[in-house]
């Protein structure tokens, strides 16, 4: 249904980025950062391998994006939740007002673009799938011109529901972790370490931010890829306006998801605070 090389490109680029030697150089990081970075790198590697296997052998084109995103997000959240408290038994209390948004990267517009693109893609697809329920074989039937087109299960209401629940559920899980990152005690207490502590919180919050954004981008890419392949396969015999508009929408969503996914993955892989601040 889908040419194999097209969906593989972003995930293969991700694997190649992991092969760069400097991505694995953790010696300059603090202990807890090193631990979180290894969880992050391991999750990215496992997620990319799982996505490639789904695309190559299982035929799970629409599942590859959500599975990658869930694996990466789970690894990033686990690494951040395992950050230990201060090693010193003596603590000093300081009154500091911290907000989650103060520690997030300045790429929040990308999340808005991804969410808007996913909404624009999934809303008509949901209406479309609901109006053409699947038969006993799992395929819906659509009449267009002189032909009858099959709507694959990957674009049916159950699959779309899974995608929507994955996006919403992952966002709900990320919020308490972000609050924990912002409100946790400084790992390196002391006024002289304030800049480093701020940088570490920014790196941790950024890792969660980029992991969830990667989930959005990979889900958008694989969902749009399947939709584009279906509409593209209808041929010239079906020229309804909605088919043309959905074809164009799916193509734009696929291009947006794939390109933004590679960019966000690169940001996630190199998300270390010690590269910016020297203690």
């Amino acid at each position: 249904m889908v040419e194999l090389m097209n969906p593989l490109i972003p995930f293969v680029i991700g694997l190649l980025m992991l092969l760069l030697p400097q991505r694995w150089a953790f010696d300059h990081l603090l202990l807890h950062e090193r631990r979180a970075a290894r969880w992050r790198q391991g999750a990215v590697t496992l997620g990319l391998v799982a996505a490639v296997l789904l695309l190559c052998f299982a035929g799970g084109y629409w599942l590859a994006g959500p599975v990658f995103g869930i694996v990466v997000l789970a690894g990033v959240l686990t690494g951040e939740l395992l950050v230990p408290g201060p090693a010193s038994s003596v603590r000093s209390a300081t009154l500091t007002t911290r907000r989650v948004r103060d520690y997030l990267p300045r790429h929040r517009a990308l999340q808005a673009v991804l969410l808007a693109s996913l909404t624009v893609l999934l809303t008509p697809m949901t209406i479309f799938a609901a109006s053409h329920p699947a038969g006993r074989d799992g395929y819906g039937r659509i009449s267009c011109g002189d032909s009858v087109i099959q709507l694959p299960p990957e674009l049916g209401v159950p699959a779309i529901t899974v995608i929507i629940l994955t996006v919403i559920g992952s966002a709900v899980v990320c919020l308490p972790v972000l609050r924990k990152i912002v409100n946790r005690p400084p790992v390196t207490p002391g006024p002289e370490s304030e800049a480093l502590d701020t940088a570490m919180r920014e790196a941790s919050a950024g890792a969660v931010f980029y992991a969830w954004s990667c989930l959005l981008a990979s889900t958008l890419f694989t969902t749009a890829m399947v939709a584009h392949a279906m509409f593209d396969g209808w041929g010239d015999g079906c020229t309804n306006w909605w088919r043309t508009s959905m074809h164009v929408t799916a193509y734009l969503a696929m291009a947006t998801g794939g390109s933004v996914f590679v960019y966000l993955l690169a940001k996630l892989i190199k998300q270390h605070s010690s590269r910016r601040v020297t203690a």
Side-chain angles (χ1 to χ4, degrees):
M1 178 181 175
V2 182
E3 290 185 10
L4 185 59
M5 199 56 203
N6 293 336
L8 278 176
I9 290 175
F11 299 105
V12 170
I13 292 176
L15 287 172
L16 291 176
M17 285 192 291
L18 287 175
L19 294 177
L20 297 177
Q22 63 268 25
R23 305 304 186 194
W24 296 95
F26 297 146
D27 294 339
H28 67 289
L29 302 179
L30 297 178
L31 177 61
H32 90 277
E33 273 198 304
R34 196 178 306 134
R35 195 175 298 163
R38 287 198 173 109
W39 271 97
R40 188 159 57 244
Q41 297 282 24
V44 170
T45 303
L46 182 60
L48 288 171
V49 171
V52 171
L53 290 176
L54 282 170
L55 290 170
C56 291
F57 302 108
Y61 299 108
W62 74 280
L63 276 175
V67 166
F68 167 81
I70 291 172
V71 171
V72 171
L73 188 59
V76 170
L77 296 183
T78 301
E80 296 303 332
L81 288 173
L82 292 178
V83 171
S88 174
S89 58
V90 179
R91 302 184 185 181
S92 59
T94 57
L95 185 60
T96 304
T97 301
R98 297 190 179 101
R99 299 174 299 180
V100 171
R101 64 183 181 183
D102 294 335
Y103 294 93
L104 293 177
R106 297 180 180 179
H107 297 84
R108 280 173 279 184
L110 280 179
Q111 272 194 353
V113 170
L114 291 172
L115 281 172
S117 301
L118 200 55
T119 302
V120 169
L121 179 67
L122 290 181
T123 299
M125 281 176 54
T126 304
I127 299 172
F128 190 64
S131 61
H132 300 86
R136 292 183 178 180
D137 59 354
Y139 286 83
R141 300 292 188 274
I142 306 166
S143 298
C144 184
D146 298 330
S147 58
V148 177
I149 309 300
Q150 288 185 332
L151 182 67
E154 294 93 330
L155 298 178
V157 173
I160 295 175
T161 302
V162 169
I163 292 173
I164 295 173
L165 291 178
T166 299
V167 172
I168 296 175
S170 59
V172 171
V173 171
C174 285
L175 289 176
V177 178
L178 285 172
R179 290 195 184 97
K180 182 179 183 300
I181 290 170
V182 171
N183 296 322
R184 67 191 179 195
V187 178
T188 55
E192 70 282 355
S193 303
E194 183 177 350
L196 178 60
D197 178 68
T198 299
M200 287 191 293
R201 293 181 197 275
E202 289 176 350
S204 295
V208 176
F209 173 88
Y210 288 124
W212 190 67
S213 299
C214 281
L215 185 148
L216 289 179
S218 60
T219 299
L220 174 65
F221 172 73
T222 54
T223 304
M225 175 192 64
V226 174
H228 177 267
M230 185 193 73
F231 289 113
D232 191 51
W234 285 10
D236 299 329
C238 177
T239 55
N240 290 344
W241 67 269
W242 51 265
R243 181 256 177 180
T244 303
S245 61
M246 283 301 298
H247 192 192
V248 173
T249 299
Y251 179 80
L252 293 176
M254 182 174 63
T256 300
S259 56
V260 175
F261 168 74
V262 173
Y263 172 77
L264 291 171
L265 187 58
K267 298 291 288 185
L268 175 63
I269 290 173
K270 65 179 182 180
Q271 190 68 10
H272 302 319
S273 69
S274 295
R275 291 173 183 262
R276 299 191 298 272
V277 177
T278 302

